Amino acid sequence: MSAAAPKIRVRSLAKSFGEKRVLDGVDLDVPAGTSLVVIGGSGSGKSVLIKCILGLIEPDAGTIEIDGENVLALGQEARRAIAARIGMLFQNSALFDSLPVWENVTFGLLARRRIRRAEARVKAGEILGQVGLAASAGELFPAELSGGMQKRVALARAIAATPEMLFFDEPTTGLDPIMGAVIDGLIQDCVKRLGSTAVAITHDMASARRIGDNAAMLYGGRIVWEGPAASLLESGNALVDQFTHGRREGPIRMELRA
Amino acid sequence: MNLLLGALAAFGRPVLILCRGTGRLALFAFEGLSHLVRPPFHVRRFAAALIEMAYFSLPVVALTAIFTGMVLALQSYTGFSRFAAQSAVASVVVLSMTRELGPVLAGLMVAGRVGAATAAEIGTMRVTDQIDALSTLSTDPMKYLVAPRLLAGIIALPLLVVVADILGVLGGFIVSTASLGFNAVTYLHNTFNYLETMDVVSGLVKAAVFGFLIALMGCYNGNASRGGAQGVGAATTAAVVSASILILAFDYVLTQLFFAR
Ligand SMILES: Nc1ncnc2c1ncn2[C@@H]1O[C@H](COP(=O)(O)OP(=O)(O)OP(=O)(O)O)[C@@H](O)[C@H]1O
Ligand SMILES: [Mg+2]
């Protein structure tokens, strides 16, 4: 590994909701220009982890460094500037339902005044094409789309401004296998071609190995395993093995009570 | 001793919660207002909010005002005729409308209509991560969602109250001339003779304050909503109830400021 500071460095991050400790000392490094896949059981705190890095949830303890700078110590303006350098695909898409699809897709570009409104429809059509949607879908409203289409629009919105960091919260959940593979390819492309640094959460092992350079497993509020994504299926770690092979018996006890 | 402490604690806890809530609301209001003087400005959002608040509230406010003017004329006529003071009807109608009923009734109607809609929209955006999404797209939610609505409220309500004042007087005029036997010219003369600029201006200032309160409570409660459809429903109720109570409370305070000598 290079001596340069990683793009994203998380140290002993902790977050509780009431009595419930969701994150309990998470350490994580994401070198610039690589992609990290985070796996972990439902409710293990994956979404909370990336929302902390984005600055949407205030952690109780720990540090988050981006380009060597502790984000949590910065003022509101500076943190907002950092959030603007991150593209995020939310787990539930979080499209603006009062705006048509084209305005959703180009929202970040318009907000940064990188394009004018007159050009936005055409630009939106181009980006929609990249995620396998017809340009005519731009005229629809989010509520008129299927769940999978909403996901792709959300992806288009996240990558539209070609941000230097990209976070994907379950980008392929709800897509058919072929479209899933297409989206995986698109994510790989963003990382390779644009040099973005990516963090993706996924439950799909095939997808994890396709898009991730590295993988990390979150369990019990900590990272219990980290390694190359290619070795996910033969990690030698009992927790990861049980998870990736989907076995009912093993060290992980699913908390069926929330 | 323990009993005393317990009693104090039981009293202190709600007071603390109330103080904390008031503080949060004040910070929220201050932040929202501060975006009105810091670019960039979301003119489009402001225009949409203004149309929603002013234009689409017109029918409701107009109907409320006209019927209120009519009832005022009837009631004050039956009251004043006992003292043979019917000629006061015109000034009672115009003064009640401009000073009190115009702003308060328009405020309450708009609180029910727009306050609820605002809280529901922002609340839904909150629980579906849309507000979080805004901040990842270089947009400050306070600037984009809250500031335009606050300004729209401050401007829309006075506009509505001008309409309400005119229609309220018209309602009183119609009833007085058509069924109470007043002479039209005398009635209008009595209406404007005793009306002072301050009566109208105080009503418009009240309206601006009420409009601000309606938008503020809608945005604040919506933004604070948690946990799905139920949370949004609770936020909507809270927005309407709190805005209505604040309107009546501020009405008293402002009346005291304007007219108490
Ligand atoms: N705003 C919140 N308030 C209270 N508890 C929360 C909040 N957000 C998350 N949690 C709790 O934190 C835990 C982790 O949630 P999170 O959404 O991170 O799970 P996840 O790992 O993303 O799961 P999934 O794979 O199902 O998306 C859950 O138990 C959840 O109840
Ligand atoms: Mg999640």
Side-chain angles (χ1 to χ4, degrees), chain A residues 17 20 22 41-48 91 170 203:
Chain A
F17 291 105
K20 192 176 167 118
V22 177
S42 198
S44 58
K46 306 179 297 297
S47 297
V48 170
Q91 186 168 2
E170 307 195 7
H203 290 299

Side-chain angles (χ1 to χ4, degrees), chain A residues 23-40:
Chain A
L23 301 179
D24 190 13
V26 172
D27 296 328
L28 204 61
D29 284 328
V30 191
T34 67
S35 55
L36 172 77
V37 169
V38 178
I39 60 171

Side-chain angles (χ1 to χ4, degrees), chain A residues 51 54 56 76-77 80 83-84 86 88 90 92 94-99 107-108 111-113 117 157, chain B residues 31 35 38 40-41 44-45 121 124-125 127-140 144:
Chain A
K51 282 185 179 174
L54 264 171
L56 299 174
Q76 248 199 346
E77 284 302 315
R80 204 163 284 138
I86 305 176
M88 166 80 180
F90 286 86
N92 56 7
L95 297 175
F96 304 126
D97 42 29
S98 59
L99 301 177
F107 195 95
R112 259 163 275 193
R113 304 192 189 286
R117 276 188 85 78
R157 184 176 70 178
Chain B
E31 197 191 338
H35 283 289
R38 284 187 288 157
F41 306 112
R44 226 167 249 285
R45 288 277 119 190
E121 185 178 342
T124 306
M125 291 186 74
V127 300
T128 56
D129 287 341
Q130 290 180 54
I131 293 188
D132 286 346
L134 277 178
S135 43
T136 68
L137 294 165
S138 318
T139 304
D140 186 335
Y144 183 79

